[in-house]
Amino acid sequence: MDSRNHTSIIDRKSNHCIVALFLLLLVGGLIGTVQAAGWPYEDETPAQRNARMAWWRQARFGMFIHWGVYAVPAGTHNGVKINRIGEWIMNRAKIPVAEYKEYGKQFNPVKYDPNQWVLMAKDAGMKYIVITTKHHDGFALFDSKVTDWDIVDATPYGKDLLKPLAEACRKHGIKLGFYYSQAQDWCHPGGAAIRKPAREGWDNPDADEIDAYTAEHDGHWDPAQLGDMDEYLRTIAAPQVREILTNYGDIAVLWWDTPTGMKTNKERADLFQPLINLQPGLITNNRLGGGYKGDLNTPEQRIPATGSDYDWETCMTMNDTWGYKSYDQNWKSTETLLRNLVDIASKGGNYLLNVGPTGEGEFPQPSIDRLKAIGQWMKIYGGSIYETTASPFARLTWGRCTKKTFINGATLYLHVFDWPADGKLLVPGLKNEVLHAYLMANFEKLETRSNESGVTVQLPVQALDPIDTVVVLKVSGELDIQQE
Ligand code: H79
């Protein structure tokens, strides 16, 4: 009797212990889950990070594609040319949701040939493509199960645009990235809208009234846009990100944009972070919000004055719009675009150069022409771009430098923009012994002379390429440059 009593007390005690242990595990598990909601790569080692970023750093050059319903109005609404970037037409002209959706009924890109698109990128020397799967107008280029505002349900075309693009990328060895506007969405209730005056670039008699409305409604201009942003993020944005990271095979990059309403809101950003695990090694940019820095900085339409320690990618348009505008003819020259690429590579960054296809599904001819011209240069000189690192020189008066370093030496690629009249190219402060110097295009050997100001390369009279002729310098030992 006694002993039985005794036993039962012990039993009760150990039961308490088990319950306590269980509670401890539960709470611990919950804390663990909360912590795991952050950026999945927060704790990776430098070696892991280098391995994950390796292909991207080697690539140096990618294609941005901005495509959607906005390619139909192509910059003109009700006969009025709406200024600035074309994919913003709905916001700039305060087009009501129902009226904007009418453009979907005219979006029928029958000339879409993703194989050709991918080949145009590849022939230009680009290694990856990032396409807008959904821009701020909320229109999905894919078959989304959580909305009808997508290519399958809202257009006469009726077929997923991303599937064949993903196939073509795989076939031609091009990495595929997805742009997704996670916060702004002007067609789904609850999506955010950056507030812009109706009077700016759009002469409308009701401008004052519209401005007053947008001021009161967080930038929205149509009651149909109003709703709960958290619900929007939970029921539209996050599920769509899951869709694009699940249904299209390997995705290399996820490109967030404009964290409106979630710049400092970690809880909102954390709705998306676990989804990154759907694609092992996925590279994401710095525009998610919640204070997360992502893998890369994204200077837009500009090239930083110097490089930086953090990976970065300049995204830029060839004319003045991302989404197609029929009348934007302010095309940058091939010279500008190529020198931009070289300038960026010399600062250790990537160049994401945009194409805005038409509503029919074609690249504008001026884009095609420039891609071809860039590709011709890249076929000869690509080796001076891919897998290179930033210039070791603070400043070069005649052009730029990219480099590859090895255990016993380095290769310097001297990008000569301004061909010296006297044929003497000074590489300032270079102290290393020069093993070889030659023109990259034809391997013609060049004489060099070293003195206290550096290495002088004797060039032929004429540049081989007026945009950028590359001279290769192979030097021995660790780079030794005396900065001015
Ligand atoms: O997708 C492209 C742009 O549409 C998007 N990012 C690139 C890659 C972008 N969204 N917002 N912004 C860039 C920044 C906002 C710019 C603005 Fe404006 C300046 C909004 C209003 C003034 C540009 C000019 C857009 C409308 C007028």
Side-chain angles (χ1 to χ4, degrees):
M1 182 78 188
D2 260 352
S3 79
R4 237 195 283 155
N5 242 347
H6 191 69
T7 319
S8 77
I9 287 167
I10 290 175
D11 274 357
R12 235 180 290 143
K13 265 194 185 160
S14 67
N15 271 344
H16 282 154
C17 281
I18 288 166
V19 170
L21 194 69
F22 178 76
L23 282 174
L24 206 72
L25 285 174
L26 189 74
V27 171
L30 282 176
I31 290 169
T33 324
V34 170
Q35 279 173 345
W39 186 38
Y41 297 111
E42 203 72 67
D43 295 328
E44 73 186 341
T45 66
Q48 285 169 327
R49 175 170 169 77
N50 289 342
R52 190 164 61 83
M53 296 302 292
W55 76 264
W56 187 91
R57 289 173 184 164
Q58 290 164 7
R60 285 286 170 260
F61 193 25
M63 177 183 281
F64 218 165
I65 299 177
H66 275 71
W67 202 30
V69 162
Y70 41 77
V72 172
T76 306
H77 181 63
N78 288 342
V80 180
K81 286 183 177 167
I82 307 300
N83 78 3
R84 311 287 280 271
I85 45 184
E87 70 283 4
W88 270 69
I89 191 167
M90 185 183 178
N91 187 318
R92 302 295 295 183
K94 308 298 175 210
I95 305 172
V97 172
E99 194 177 331
Y100 187 76
K101 284 188 174 174
E102 288 297 311
Y103 284 125
K105 297 178 185 162
Q106 298 169 53
F107 188 48
N108 192 19
V110 291
K111 293 184 178 161
Y112 177 46
D113 183 348
N115 209 57
Q116 196 192 7
W117 284 18
V118 171
L119 285 177
M120 283 192 277
K122 186 171 181 168
D123 289 344
M126 292 157 159
K127 300 291 191 187
Y128 60 109
I129 292 175
V130 179
I131 187 168
T132 52
T133 62
K134 185 203 88 169
H135 204 267
H136 309 331
D137 65 357
F139 176 79
L141 270 65
F142 54 99
D143 182 13
S144 175
K145 300 302 175 203
V146 295
T147 182
D148 284 343
W149 184 223
D150 68 26
I151 184 72
V152 173
D153 300 312
T155 76
Y157 190 73
K159 295 183 288 277
D160 193 310
L161 294 169
L162 302 183
K163 274 247 154 79
L165 182 69
E167 274 161 31
C169 282
R170 246 189 309 282
K171 181 168 156 199
H172 299 295
I174 296 292
K175 299 259 189 197
L176 180 61
F178 284 158
Y179 166 111
Y180 187 86
S181 170
Q182 76 280 11
Q184 283 202 83
D185 188 320
W186 307 325
C187 280
H188 291 100
I194 287 182
R195 188 177 140 211
K196 277 294 129 194
R199 55 188 74 257
E200 220 176 77
W202 179 44
D203 190 17
N204 188 299
D206 300 325
D208 285 334
E209 212 177 304
I210 297 169
D211 286 350
Y213 188 91
T214 59
E216 268 170 49
H217 296 93
D218 253 342
H220 299 94
W221 54 93
D222 180 345
Q225 298 171 319
L226 305 182
D228 178 357
M229 183 164 174
D230 288 300
E231 191 184 330
Y232 163 77
L233 295 174
R234 226 178 22 250
T235 60
I236 303 287
Q240 286 195 332
V241 171
R242 180 178 290 279
E243 288 177 326
I244 59 175
L245 295 183
T246 306
N247 299 335
Y248 302 92
D250 288 348
I251 301 304
V253 174
L254 183 56
W255 218 97
W256 310 112
D257 202 9
T258 65
T260 316
M262 51 188 287
K263 209 174 172 129
T264 56
N265 190 320
K266 193 166 173 301
E267 210 175 303
R268 285 178 171 172
D270 280 341
L271 277 175
F272 298 91
Q273 293 290 22
L275 300 171
I276 290 173
N277 289 316
L278 291 168
Q279 291 282 339
L282 186 67
I283 291 172
T284 60
N285 73 358
N286 61 338
R287 298 189 180 191
L288 173 62
Y292 290 109
K293 64 186 193 311
D295 292 307
L296 47 124
N297 294 330
T298 51
E300 182 164 327
Q301 299 286 40
R302 67 184 178 86
I303 301 173
T306 62
S308 82
D309 287 342
Y310 213 68
D311 290 293
W312 60 277
E313 173 187 71
T314 283
C315 55
M316 197 181 279
T317 52
M318 287 197 205
N319 51 0
D320 291 326
T321 183
W322 303 91
Y324 178 67
K325 273 181 102 170
S326 62
Y327 51 89
D328 182 340
Q329 299 300 341
N330 192 25
W331 299 95
K332 295 171 186 73
S333 65
T334 299
E335 175 180 285
T336 298
L337 298 172
L338 255 179
R339 289 184 174 180
N340 282 348
L341 172 61
V342 172
D343 185 23
I344 289 166
S346 81
K347 294 166 181 170
N350 280 16
Y351 197 24
L352 189 62
L353 185 58
N354 184 70
V355 175
T358 67
E360 291 203 292
E362 294 184 302
F363 285 7
Q365 192 58 44
S367 299
I368 296 175
D369 297 342
R370 280 154 185 78
L371 291 171
K372 274 206 182 117
I374 292 169
Q376 279 162 8
W377 186 91
M378 287 294 276
K379 261 175 207 84
I380 300 166
Y381 295 112
S384 70
I385 302 293
Y386 307 128
E387 296 173 46
T388 61
T389 50
S391 171
F393 303 97
R395 198 181 115 78
L396 296 169
T397 52
W398 39 258
R400 299 290 183 274
C401 176
T402 51
K403 72 174 192 308
K404 290 177 187 167
T405 50
F406 311 99
I407 295 170
N408 302 319
T411 301
L412 298 176
Y413 299 94
L414 310 176
H415 297 261
V416 187
F417 294 173
D418 300 315
W419 201 253
D422 63 359
K424 292 187 191 335
L425 187 77
L426 176 66
V427 186
L430 181 62
K431 299 287 169 199
N432 295 71
E433 182 197 351
V434 176
L435 303 174
H436 306 285
Y438 59 92
L439 293 170
M440 190 170 183
N442 60 13
F443 301 100
E444 184 187 323
K445 191 177 170 341
L446 303 173
E447 297 301 324
T448 63
R449 208 164 26 80
S450 296
N451 64 19
E452 65 286 351
S453 36
V455 172
T456 302
V457 186
Q458 184 60 51
L459 301 179
V461 179
Q462 270 227 314
L464 300 188
D465 191 305
I467 295 177
D468 176 10
T469 301
V470 180
V471 171
V472 183
L473 271 194
K474 302 219 168 195
V475 303
S476 70
E478 201 177 317
L479 273 178
D480 180 9
I481 291 154
Q482 192 181 318
Q483 304 290 356
E484 299 154 275

